[in-house]
Amino acid sequence: MTDAAGTHRVLTFVCADRPGIVHALSGALVDAGGNITESQQFSSEDTGRFFIRLQVEADATAERLAAHLDPVARRFEAEWRIDVVGRPMRTLVLVSTAGHCLNDLLFRRRSGQLPIEIPLVLGNHRDLEGLADFYGVPFEARAVTSPETKRAFEQRVLAAVDELGIELVVLARYMQILSPELCERLAGRAINIHHSFLPGFKGANPYRQAHARGVKLIGATAHFVTADLDEGPIIEQEVVRVDHASSARELVSIGQDQESRTLSRAVRWFAEHRVLQDGARTIIFR
Amino acid sequence: MTDAAGTHRVLTFVCADRPGIVHALSGALVDAGGNITESQQFSSEDTGRFFIRLQVEADATAERLAAHLDPVARRFEAEWRIDVVGRPMRTLVLVSTAGHCLNDLLFRRRSGQLPIEIPLVLGNHRDLEGLADFYGVPFEARAVTSPETKRAFEQRVLAAVDELGIELVVLARYMQILSPELCERLAGRAINIHHSFLPGFKGANPYRQAHARGVKLIGATAHFVTADLDEGPIIEQEVVRVDHASSARELVSIGQDQESRTLSRAVRWFAEHRVLQDGARTIIFR
Amino acid sequence: MTDAAGTHRVLTFVCADRPGIVHALSGALVDAGGNITESQQFSSEDTGRFFIRLQVEADATAERLAAHLDPVARRFEAEWRIDVVGRPMRTLVLVSTAGHCLNDLLFRRRSGQLPIEIPLVLGNHRDLEGLADFYGVPFEARAVTSPETKRAFEQRVLAAVDELGIELVVLARYMQILSPELCERLAGRAINIHHSFLPGFKGANPYRQAHARGVKLIGATAHFVTADLDEGPIIEQEVVRVDHASSARELVSIGQDQESRTLSRAVRWFAEHRVLQDGARTIIFR
Amino acid sequence: MTDAAGTHRVLTFVCADRPGIVHALSGALVDAGGNITESQQFSSEDTGRFFIRLQVEADATAERLAAHLDPVARRFEAEWRIDVVGRPMRTLVLVSTAGHCLNDLLFRRRSGQLPIEIPLVLGNHRDLEGLADFYGVPFEARAVTSPETKRAFEQRVLAAVDELGIELVVLARYMQILSPELCERLAGRAINIHHSFLPGFKGANPYRQAHARGVKLIGATAHFVTADLDEGPIIEQEVVRVDHASSARELVSIGQDQESRTLSRAVRWFAEHRVLQDGARTIIFR
């Protein structure tokens, strides 16, 4: 997994669609001594964009690969990125008091199911400090009780992102609305999880509303954070069946399970460079 | 399945919850020579209502059972109903041009999976006449192109309900909004199917909206018809996973599958007296 | 939740099916001042047995309820049990080295989703001691490396069951086969989890076999422990979709998730007295 | 959809994995004026084979494309195939008496969800003639009651395959075992559907066995036909949840639904050239 010759690398490449991209890319890789072991490609009819994710086995160093790929990227005016497969992505987790999502992330990371490392968990409450301690992850709490403390919290987030080389911010049931400025700064690299229902419910206590309406399914949605609360590009969704005997309290418990699973899946895909944005939609190369 | 002594019967009984209901009911059944073979019960904390569905094997005639149950029902001011298990429910199906739901209902009915009989399919287009013919079901079309023709269509519905002894009206992709008067007249015995999404989309062409937003799940909801369009008590819901490569057209095709299955399931449960209303919610005794 | 008047209780009652059981039971409960708030009943055509699970709200003490129910139980020669709703069931967990199931049980217990208490985790390895410590649960390890140490381990299990008042033994990926004698002693109160596939695979490394055969679904089965390895009455099953790109290693990771969820669900149902045995089958009153 | 310049084509290409395949293929396509609009690729670690499925938009004729691709195919000793996207695949359907799978195939084909045409339905019973008639599909019945009539039936299958240009044979609940010779002749182009269970059951009446064992899930598996009955490479699987109250008869009904859906999905993928064989496994490019 070290960034040397002979490693497996993942390449994402996004540009306006036109003939010859695959040929140019594969040519550059052949020239650099690389072999494509996995490939997923998609052309968006909505936006005319071309998306590709390649896994490449190469004897070449990252520099040598980049030297071959750079002219291709410039020719097609592409956004591209190359990384070592399995390199842990540096992840900042924001939490409040509910621990189900954090527990799931930490357990999966330790058992090798999530290619992330977590240099910091930042909470607006201290409740989850013990959980972070158990997994040997630094924890820091800062109360958010006023516009000033909220601003301070968000500045701490941005400082942590810079100082710790954070590549992904996960809102693991962090129950505060981020300011538009922070959303802007974290665009495309912050993931939130929230519950979802058929039909959707606005306002406070959606589980109570869902219960009142007698929904038969409840769900969870993981999405990119945008200033439009609960409305960013969707990364993953899941639902589970409930019935008339499920109390509003049980709906909450069932919902937590889904939130954990759905968030962990979205984080894994992001960390594996499987999530690309296409306007308001996401391309998921599973 | 004939309504004579020795048959299996299904009893539903709904009243305000208080002690002694089960004891009184089971006592009346024992006295009438009946044996309870299946029982499902629910007390709603929301409305304080008690719901029970019993299957009873009895040597008694329907009259004799009713004579024993009637005093219990009066004592608890219950709404109740007794029927022969498996008796086909008389069902009127309303359609427009899309045949997937009608095809599913007709095929399942013929293969013995749906305890309904269909004395009439009524459409505002002729497109599905051949399908009804193949299954030997009467079909009638009346164009709906103006307020007058709409009124005439709805009067035909009500006349059919009366003349044909209709117990259930199924809107199998009938693409017209029913008038509030007709909704009122059919309250609690008309079922509609519509597509659903996470999040929900209002207005025209929801599949295109769902595609634009990049939803990962699409669903279908079967519900009782109310004047509030697409908002009646939910009977059944189902979702299926889609991805970025699903075009708006494919979403439609996937959605049709779900609509068929979800509607047929709701119809079967209703015909088996498994669906009871509890205010804005449904109790489903599966 | 204390065992006093006014509490919610759960009653299970199993006997040969014949008329009058519900009437007799509900009569005894009415006499004792109890109100049935939930009821699920099933008559097995296979074995002729009658199964009922009732939740009862009663001002009466446990003694008073028992005094009223006892004559009914004797009349119908029933096996029956009454318990306080939500009372934590005393549970012994057996583990080896894999922590995913134990982690799930401990996290759910602490977050109030599992009505169990765990006076002891017993392992044949020390690997999971830290996890148990974090949740404040006693942990004990005893190596199993020979027939003698295996016998000693099993005697420790039986001693713990007696001394600690254990009602349920959970094999949370405990990778040793229990002796027929221990299976016999724990019959009906020990739950195991194992992976399942379509089709089934016998012998070592089923994930590798499943991968070789190209299965599209993998699953997990929670079942009662019997001397017939992996063949006891099934309590719960779950599957998840996989594809050709899933390596044998990924199948293992996906399978662990399912094992955790499936086992926790089976344990919850058992602890809530929702699992009754009917010969080789289980009745699950969800 | 006509096979002329400007059409969308699908290309599958399978060979031993080595560097340069994608580059060579994409180069040939660029030279022929084609643009890759969709691409899925997989390298099998088990067999060392490389699999790719491309969709290509090209102004070139099929001949011109083939002329460019042929040298690449020879260089890599590949098995390859090019087809027009959406061209209906010529499909022979074998049936006995159960109509659920045939009904599903015919309905989906007519509603544009299945890119197949069915020049013949061949049964060993006449029961499904009316269904085939309704959809305007030729039907032929030949009783299979002895080794001789079985041989005659199979010769009719082979004759139909030749005379009608059949590309795919679907066993839509055709309840006869095919001879090893016929299996051999149809290898890789005949799909069967059968029910599946966790755990698996051998021998007659698996639904009764599944009921006796109290399974909580039942499933269906679509697979390529091989001489080893019910054991060919798996194309698609699906399961559904059942419970203790499901009678053996209900299991059958639930199972039929799954069989229909699972078979139709497998047929669609095959007709869209999404199913490639990799030894005993299938690669499914969904």
Side-chain angles (χ1 to χ4, degrees), chain A residues 46 211 232 239 244 281 284, chain B residues 211 213 232 239 244 281 284:
Chain A
D46 301 308
H211 175 75
V239 295
H244 60 265
R281 312 175 67 219
I284 311 289
Chain B
H211 174 76
R213 181 70 199 288
V239 294
H244 60 265
R281 311 174 68 219
I284 310 289

Side-chain angles (χ1 to χ4, degrees), chain C residues 12-278:
Chain C
T12 57
F13 192 98
V14 180
C15 61
D17 196 14
R18 57 181 164 118
I21 307 170
V22 174
H23 189 57
L25 266 179
S26 56
L29 291 169
V30 167
D31 290 347
N35 187 27
I36 299 171
T37 57
E38 229 184 283
S39 165
Q40 284 158 299
Q41 167 186 338
F42 181 69
S43 296
S44 170
E45 289 183 24
D46 301 306
T47 60
R49 304 286 286 170
F50 168 93
F51 301 81
I52 198 165
R53 180 189 185 274
L54 298 170
Q55 288 196 200
V56 179
E57 193 177 3
D59 285 330
T61 58
E63 289 70 32
R64 185 149 177 250
L65 277 170
H68 279 85
L69 289 165
D70 196 53
V72 181
R74 262 178 298 157
R75 176 177 153 207
F76 290 98
E77 299 176 67
E79 298 161 46
W80 66 293
R81 180 156 187 190
I82 193 157
D83 200 354
V84 172
V85 169
R87 182 187 65 81
M89 185 167 279
R90 290 182 69 78
T91 304
L92 171 66
V93 183
L94 306 187
V95 300
S96 289
T97 58
H100 54 286
C101 287
L102 181 62
N103 180 67
D104 203 68
L105 290 167
L106 291 172
F107 181 78
R108 284 178 202 273
R109 187 210 52 150
R110 194 173 66 179
S111 59
Q113 295 175 53
L114 266 185
I116 60 172
E117 53 189 328
I118 303 179
L120 184 61
V121 174
L122 193 53
N124 62 332
H125 293 274
R126 298 219 80 84
D127 303 49
L128 303 181
E129 186 161 25
L131 183 60
D133 282 358
F134 171 64
Y135 283 100
V137 167
F139 180 92
E140 205 180 297
R142 294 181 173 234
V144 173
T145 54
S146 65
E148 290 71 36
T149 50
K150 178 170 178 170
R151 207 170 307 125
F153 188 96
E154 296 203 343
Q155 275 161 0
R156 179 64 189 114
V157 170
L158 286 172
V161 166
D162 284 349
E163 291 158 17
L164 301 170
I166 295 301
E167 301 164 281
L168 170 64
V169 177
V170 177
L171 281 66
R173 301 305 290 149
Y174 176 67
M175 302 303 285
Q176 299 286 324
I177 298 172
L178 302 192
S179 69
E181 297 72 36
L182 187 58
C183 291
E184 181 66 28
R185 293 283 296 273
L186 300 178
R189 49 181 178 149
I191 297 177
N192 187 33
I193 181 75
H194 77 95
H195 36 63
S196 316
F197 301 92
L198 289 165
F201 299 104
K202 304 282 178 195
N205 209 331
Y207 286 104
R208 196 171 305 156
Q209 289 186 65
H211 174 76
R213 181 70 199 286
V215 299
K216 306 302 183 195
L217 294 171
I218 64 171
T221 298
H223 61 95
F224 280 119
V225 173
T226 59
D228 219 346
L229 183 69
D230 293 349
E231 287 287 332
I234 296 166
I235 300 170
E236 170 64 339
Q237 300 184 293
E238 196 190 282
V239 294
V240 74
R241 189 169 280 274
V242 295
D243 70 16
H244 61 265
S246 311
S247 66
R249 195 178 164 283
E250 284 167 329
L251 296 189
V252 171
S253 158
I254 294 165
Q256 289 192 350
D257 252 40
Q258 294 189 278
E259 289 169 2
S260 305
R261 282 202 299 272
T262 306
L263 179 60
S264 286
R265 219 177 295 133
V267 167
R268 180 162 62 80
W269 293 342
F270 186 89
E272 294 175 353
H273 303 287
R274 297 183 182 279
V275 181
L276 300 172
Q277 270 192 258
D278 179 34

Side-chain angles (χ1 to χ4, degrees), chain D:
Chain D
M1 256 192 240
T2 62
D3 190 358
T7 55
H8 284 77
R9 292 203 176 75
V10 55
L11 168 69
T12 57
F13 192 98
V14 179
C15 60
D17 195 15
R18 57 180 163 120
I21 307 169
V22 173
H23 188 57
L25 266 179
S26 54
L29 290 169
V30 166
D31 290 347
N35 187 29
I36 299 172
T37 56
E38 231 184 280
S39 164
Q40 284 158 301
Q41 165 185 341
F42 181 69
S43 296
S44 170
E45 290 184 23
D46 300 307
T47 60
R49 303 288 284 169
F50 168 93
F51 301 81
I52 198 164
R53 180 189 187 274
L54 298 170
Q55 288 196 201
V56 179
E57 194 177 1
D59 285 329
T61 58
E63 290 69 31
R64 181 146 180 252
L65 278 170
H68 279 85
L69 289 166
D70 196 53
V72 181
R74 263 178 297 157
R75 174 176 155 207
F76 290 99
E77 299 176 65
E79 298 162 46
W80 67 293
R81 182 159 184 187
I82 194 156
D83 200 354
V84 173
V85 169
R87 182 187 64 82
M89 186 169 276
R90 291 182 70 78
T91 303
L92 170 67
V93 183
L94 306 187
V95 300
S96 288
T97 58
H100 54 288
C101 286
L102 181 62
N103 180 67
D104 203 68
L105 291 168
L106 291 171
F107 181 77
R108 285 179 203 272
R109 187 209 52 151
R110 194 174 66 179
S111 60
Q113 295 176 53
L114 267 185
I116 59 172
E117 52 188 328
I118 303 179
L120 182 62
V121 174
L122 193 55
N124 62 332
H125 293 275
R126 296 219 81 85
D127 303 50
L128 303 181
E129 186 162 23
L131 183 60
D133 282 357
F134 172 64
Y135 283 99
V137 168
F139 180 91
E140 203 179 298
R142 295 182 172 233
V144 173
T145 54
S146 66
E148 288 71 37
T149 50
K150 178 170 178 171
R151 207 169 308 125
F153 188 97
E154 297 203 341
Q155 275 160 359
R156 178 67 188 112
V157 170
L158 287 172
V161 165
D162 284 347
E163 291 158 17
L164 300 170
I166 294 301
E167 301 165 281
L168 170 63
V169 177
V170 177
L171 281 66
R173 301 306 290 148
Y174 176 66
M175 303 303 284
Q176 299 286 324
I177 298 172
L178 303 191
S179 69
E181 296 73 37
L182 188 58
C183 292
E184 182 65 29
R185 293 283 297 273
L186 300 178
R189 48 182 178 150
I191 298 177
N192 187 33
I193 181 75
H194 76 96
H195 37 62
S196 316
F197 301 92
L198 290 165
F201 299 104
K202 304 281 179 195
N205 210 330
Y207 286 104
R208 196 172 305 155
Q209 289 186 65
H211 174 75
R213 180 72 199 286
V215 299
K216 306 302 183 196
L217 294 172
I218 64 171
T221 298
H223 61 95
F224 280 118
V225 173
T226 59
D228 218 347
L229 183 70
D230 293 350
E231 287 286 332
I234 296 166
I235 300 169
E236 171 64 341
Q237 299 185 292
E238 196 189 283
V239 295
V240 73
R241 188 169 281 274
V242 297
D243 71 15
H244 61 265
S246 312
S247 66
R249 195 179 163 282
E250 284 166 328
L251 295 188
V252 171
S253 157
I254 293 166
Q256 289 192 349
D257 252 39
Q258 294 188 278
E259 290 168 2
S260 307
R261 281 201 300 272
T262 306
L263 179 60
S264 286
R265 219 176 295 135
V267 167
R268 180 161 63 79
W269 293 343
F270 186 89
E272 295 175 352
H273 303 286
R274 298 182 181 280
V275 181
L276 299 172
Q277 269 192 259
D278 179 33
R281 313 174 67 219
T282 60
I283 310 304
I284 311 289
F285 288 135
R286 298 172 66 174

